[in-house]
Amino acid sequence: MLTRIDHVGIACRDLAAAIARYTSTFGLTVTSIEVNEPQGVREAMLEVSGSPAGTSYVQLLEPLRPDTPVGRFLARRGEGVHHVGYGVADITTALAAIGATGVRLIDERPRHGSMGASIAFLHPADLGGVLTELVQARPTAG
Ligand code: CO
């Protein structure tokens, strides 16, 4: 069902400083920077590697305001790993199959994620404390 680790989401207070850390330490390059207003974040995707299963990213997340999920996370836990995103081929099918196992779905239906992907979050309380995201990448053009 899961095709790869799509990205690791990391909460940060200062997106520019976090980007500088990842580019200078690991030589990563920024693929996209976007604001996701419904999720209350400004985020950057930095490409880690390409493989036949697809590209993996580090996703750096800076809250737009304190009263957002990532803003509350930073207040409670400080900077660090926020969630893990796994690639799936068909997010609707994956959500139905995972929901049938009893894991609670934060998103019953997919919503818009980074770079045109369809995403959905699964409840961390049912997954050992790990906020988990499913990612169906935007179909490639052509
Ligand atoms: Co994510």
Side-chain angles (χ1 to χ4, degrees), residues 8-12 14-30 44-48 57-61 79-81:
V8 176
I10 295 171
C12 62
D14 180 337
L15 186 62
I19 289 171
R21 178 179 302 123
Y22 277 85
T23 55
S24 68
T25 305
F26 301 115
L28 300 185
T29 56
V30 176
M45 297 292 271
L46 290 79
E47 185 171 334
V48 175
Y57 300 91
V58 173
Q59 180 184 51
L60 302 173
L61 303 157
E79 292 185 306
V81 174

Side-chain angles (χ1 to χ4, degrees), residues 118-131:
S118 293
I119 65 154
F121 282 96
L122 311 174
H123 207 292
D126 293 333
L127 291 167
V130 179
L131 178 60

